[in-house]
Amino acid sequence: MWNTVALRSLGRLSPNATSPPLPRLQTLKNRVLERKSRDLHRGKQPAHVLQDQGLERTRDVLPCRLGSNKAKYRRWAKTYPVLDGRILSVYRHVFEGNLRNSEAVIKRYSELLETVSKGGGENAILRHTQRNKKLFVRERLKLLLDDESFLELSPLAGLNMPYGDVPAAGCLTGIGKICGVWCVFMANDATVKGGTIYPIGVKKQLRAQEIAMQNRLLSVYLVDSGGAFLPLQSELFPDKSHGGRVFYNEAIMSALRIPQVAVVCGSCVAGGAYVPTMAEETVIIDKIGTLFLAGPPLVKAATGEYVSPEDLGGAKLHSEVSGCSDHFASSEKEAYECIRNVISTLNYDPLPEEVIEHDSPLYSSDELLGLAPQDYRCTLPVKLILSRLMDGSRFQEFKANYGTTLVTGFGHMEGHLVGIVANNGELSHDASLKGSHFVQLCSQRSLPILFLQNTAPHTAEPTSISQAKAHSNRLKAQASMMAAVACAAVPKITIVIGGCYGSESYVMCGRSFSPNFLFLWPNARVALVDSRHFSTVPQAGDNDCTGDESELKHLKEKLEEESSAFYSSARLWDGGVILPQNTRKVIAQCLEIIEQQKYQVISPCQYPVIRM
């Protein structure tokens, strides 16, 4: 039975009324019955049948809210409390020290990016473009992607490796829009080592495929590869996470209805030949695209016969005879136009073109450079950072007065509602329980979670029974939060704004916990322990064994080098280094990318597309 409160909430009862207007309700009921009868006589199906049919259709679509809540969020977000982002005079000297450090590491970051942008160097680029008549990989991306900025992943990968520099790991990966659809691209750079694949290059491609699977993103391969670097074959071939995993992932992604297309825009030799042949649609470019397991030199060595690359595996052969390619292109420009046309056939619902209204933060993002801690001891309250990231600097905090060394709450990032989990000190027992509770809330509400990670470099060991008990309780609470983070079935984005140390980094969704995206600020430190926070090193073995002073010095220097953000990014422990002032833009872009899967139509079939 309708009550007075319910009717008022529906706007059917005036605020001054004391009882429901029963005669009017009876009239409405009669009209509904008359309409149902009339629809049946006209051959129309009742509304509940149509509703059931609609639900049947939605079962084949990824789960999402049937009605948009964006307008509601825009309206209610303005009632969230505003954070006080003023930098007090007591923090000024720390702020200025952090600022000087940020400027120094950003200068180094810019130098590394400049080096990487040149690929294999000017001579290699000239040879690639003038002698081989091919486009440089970044020029290819301009033709392939929409005229919008794209998110490049791990541009510093491959620098200062044990086997030498491999700029950008020999391939560019990232996420950009093609025909309005967010896509992951993997593009070989043949100016780096002639397109030869190194172990770090395999790792980078596997990471790109992992991102594509996590976020259900179409994958585009621009293949121009000379195959594996044989001297390092033991690090490339035999193991589960080596080269063969790329092809395994292609089959699994196809079965999961994640489309994959490829362009053969250069040599595809040995293992590289499987990438385009396992893609769902492939374009090969005349004169420059070739595809074979063993090239002309090996044929000559084995049989004594000379055969040209075109006759052995050129564009006409694979388009007209073998069927390994589906489309023949006479030029690179034609090939990328063809791929764009292919992507337009994917049956994706168009993404909403409306721009979500949002307020800018009340405080300048440039001030984040002074809030990026050069050392854990130089950490300022994390709410100062949040006030420069959130829409309107508004933040609905959760458990504000409990477990204050962890800040949790809700806010908007360029109109996208997110849950925030941010370090504000050592992760205590109460803070861990609070984090576990909040992460489960976000999972229940299907809200993406943003982790701002700045974990403590070390924890003092207990010196009494009471301290040991407290230490054990804190470990149990951290384990609770760790389990909540691991099992939360929502997208997760992690930004390391300071330290990424020890077990607390796992609790804050470090790389081991597979966040959808993980980025570092240039000042970030990634290590098991911080070399700047210990003076003695525990030794394994006998208690009488003491560390030699020179060994200690060498170990500290090694830890200092290996904990830098650039060392981490070179080894693909993250998705790349981002500037603090660009953080809000990058996070919003990631949230938009994650949201795209709501608009995909999923077929019930669970088998890949197999070439006949």
Side-chain angles (χ1 to χ4, degrees):
M1 186 66 183
W2 294 97
N3 58 37
T4 306
V5 176
L7 288 169
R8 281 190 184 132
S9 69
L10 291 172
R12 293 177 179 172
L13 186 62
S14 67
N16 298 324
T18 57
S19 61
L22 293 177
R24 185 178 177 187
L25 278 178
Q26 187 64 44
T27 303
L28 284 171
K29 183 177 179 182
N30 291 339
R31 288 178 183 171
V32 170
L33 290 173
E34 288 174 6
R35 188 172 62 217
K36 281 185 178 179
S37 175
R38 189 166 57 249
D39 287 346
L40 284 171
H41 283 300
R42 291 178 179 175
K44 291 184 178 180
Q45 294 178 323
H48 71 275
V49 175
L50 291 172
Q51 184 181 13
D52 289 342
Q53 291 178 350
L55 289 173
E56 282 291 331
R57 286 194 298 270
T58 61
R59 289 192 186 110
D60 292 337
V61 182
L62 284 175
C64 63
R65 292 186 176 89
L66 294 178
S68 173
N69 286 324
K70 296 294 184 187
K72 181 176 71 176
Y73 288 157
R74 284 198 295 267
R75 185 168 68 250
W76 294 119
K78 294 183 183 295
T79 66
Y80 291 0
V82 176
L83 292 167
D84 183 359
R86 294 174 297 173
I87 299 169
L88 303 180
S89 57
V90 70
Y91 299 143
R92 184 55 58 180
H93 69 289
V94 177
F95 180 90
E96 290 173 354
N98 288 340
L99 180 60
R100 287 191 295 271
N101 180 69
S102 291
E103 289 172 345
V105 294
I106 287 174
K107 181 181 178 182
R108 175 61 178 154
Y109 173 60
S110 301
E111 291 170 353
L112 292 174
L113 278 185
E114 179 67 21
T115 300
V116 166
S117 67
K118 296 176 182 177
E122 293 181 2
N123 291 336
I125 293 175
L126 284 174
R127 186 165 56 250
H128 179 83
T129 55
Q130 295 184 8
R131 192 184 76 182
N132 299 338
K133 307 299 181 185
K134 296 192 285 188
L135 293 176
F136 184 46
V137 63
R138 295 186 183 273
E139 296 301 317
R140 287 170 170 169
L141 292 177
K142 288 180 182 178
L143 293 176
L144 175 69
L145 302 175
D146 294 350
D147 190 17
E148 297 182 26
S149 61
F150 62 90
L151 180 63
E152 185 172 352
L153 299 171
S154 305
L156 302 184
L159 295 181
N160 298 315
M161 300 300 290
Y163 39 77
D165 279 346
V166 187
C171 64
L172 267 63
T173 63
I175 306 173
K177 279 187 177 179
I178 303 176
C179 300
V181 177
W182 286 108
C183 307
V184 168
F185 60 81
M186 287 158 268
N188 294 115
D189 183 357
T191 69
V192 177
K193 314 289 186 183
T196 305
I197 300 173
Y198 280 70
I200 192 66
V202 171
K203 187 175 181 181
K204 188 171 182 179
Q205 289 191 53
L206 290 174
R207 176 60 187 146
Q209 287 182 321
E210 181 186 349
I211 289 173
M213 284 190 275
Q214 277 184 311
N215 302 288
R216 298 196 60 83
L217 296 174
L218 158 74
S219 296
V220 182
Y221 304 90
L222 305 187
V223 194
D224 190 354
S225 166
F229 182 61
L230 286 179
L232 295 176
Q233 65 86 27
S234 64
E235 300 176 46
L236 279 163
F237 168 70
D239 207 353
K240 178 180 177 181
S241 295
H242 287 172
R245 194 71 178 186
V246 173
F247 318 132
Y248 173 87
N249 286 345
E250 284 191 78
I252 296 300
M253 289 162 70
S254 182
L256 291 173
R257 294 295 168 271
I258 300 173
Q260 297 164 95
V261 296
V263 180
V264 180
C265 47
S267 178
C268 292
V269 182
Y274 287 107
V275 172
T277 52
M278 293 193 70
E280 294 171 7
E281 285 195 57
T282 296
V283 181
I284 191 167
I285 303 170
D286 192 25
K287 301 292 191 295
I288 64 172
T290 55
L291 190 67
F292 31 63
L293 290 177
L298 283 179
V299 174
K300 176 74 172 175
T303 67
E305 180 184 0
Y306 172 77
V307 60
S308 71
E310 279 294 311
D311 291 337
L312 184 63
K316 289 186 178 179
L317 175 83
H318 287 304
S319 298
E320 299 173 5
V321 180
S322 74
C324 286
S325 175
D326 309 295
H327 306 280
F328 175 93
S330 59
S331 66
E332 291 209 47
K333 182 179 179 182
E334 183 182 325
Y336 303 124
E337 287 176 354
C338 180
I339 282 293
R340 290 177 62 85
N341 290 338
V342 168
I343 290 171
S344 69
T345 69
L346 290 179
N347 195 26
Y348 277 28
D349 287 343
L351 298 177
E353 294 184 1
E354 60 175 295
V355 178
I356 301 172
E357 296 176 9
H358 59 267
D359 297 326
S360 298
L362 301 180
Y363 304 92
S364 172
S365 61
D366 291 336
E367 292 176 329
L368 289 170
L369 298 182
L371 298 173
Q374 60 178 317
D375 184 270
Y376 188 75
R377 292 167 294 195
C378 300
T379 298
L380 296 177
V382 76
K383 288 182 184 177
L384 296 177
I385 293 176
L386 291 176
S387 66
R388 287 156 177 81
L389 295 178
M390 311 311 297
D391 291 359
S393 300
R394 297 182 181 276
F395 183 61
Q396 176 64 27
E397 191 166 2
F398 175 76
K399 287 185 183 287
N401 301 318
Y402 179 81
T404 54
T405 56
L406 189 73
V407 173
T408 56
F410 304 96
H412 289 78
M413 199 78 69
E414 293 196 5
H416 300 277
L417 181 64
V418 290
I420 307 290
V421 180
N423 286 119
N424 198 40
E426 189 175 310
L427 199 58
S428 66
H429 170 270
D430 291 352
S432 300
L433 291 181
K434 165 181 168 178
S436 177
H437 184 174
F438 181 76
V439 166
Q440 292 174 77
L441 281 182
C442 292
S443 185
Q444 287 279 0
R445 298 172 188 179
S446 299
L447 286 179
I449 307 173
L450 171 64
F451 293 86
L452 297 182
Q453 186 179 137
N454 181 24
T455 57
H458 73 289
T459 304
E461 293 299 321
T463 57
S464 66
I465 293 177
S466 60
Q467 286 184 1
K469 184 177 179 181
H471 188 75
S472 298
N473 287 335
R474 185 164 61 86
L475 287 177
K476 286 193 291 184
Q478 287 184 359
S480 169
M481 183 175 172
M482 206 179 287
V485 171
C487 297
V490 293
K492 308 175 192 84
I493 301 170
T494 302
I495 311 291
V496 181
I497 61 174
C500 175
Y501 296 111
S503 60
E504 289 189 13
S505 69
Y506 306 144
V507 182
M508 290 296 293
C509 202
R511 166 58 69 222
S512 302
F513 279 61
S514 296
N516 293 58
F517 296 97
L518 186 151
F519 299 102
L520 307 180
W521 281 3
N523 59 292
R525 314 292 298 183
V526 182
L528 183 62
V529 294
D530 187 353
S531 63
R532 296 170 290 188
H533 284 261
F534 70 90
S535 56
T536 60
V537 182
Q539 299 292 317
D542 297 332
N543 294 331
D544 295 335
C545 184
T546 57
D548 184 82
E549 187 175 339
S550 62
E551 290 181 0
L552 174 61
K553 181 180 178 181
H554 175 71
L555 177 59
K556 292 182 74 169
E557 289 174 353
K558 188 172 187 290
L559 282 171
E560 181 71 16
E561 177 192 353
E562 293 180 354
S563 62
S564 79
F566 308 130
Y567 188 94
S568 166
S569 206
R571 284 149 184 80
L572 287 162
W573 299 345
D574 52 74
V577 175
I578 61 173
L579 298 179
Q581 60 267 41
N582 293 341
T583 303
R584 175 177 157 86
K585 177 184 176 183
V586 170
I587 294 171
Q589 204 169 26
C590 290
L591 292 168
E592 185 181 339
I593 290 166
I594 289 166
E595 199 170 85
Q596 175 175 273
Q597 58 188 292
K598 293 180 181 179
Y599 303 95
Q600 296 177 22
V601 178
I602 306 301
S603 163
C605 301
Q606 292 299 318
Y607 51 83
V609 174
I610 301 173
R611 291 181 179 276
M612 306 308 289

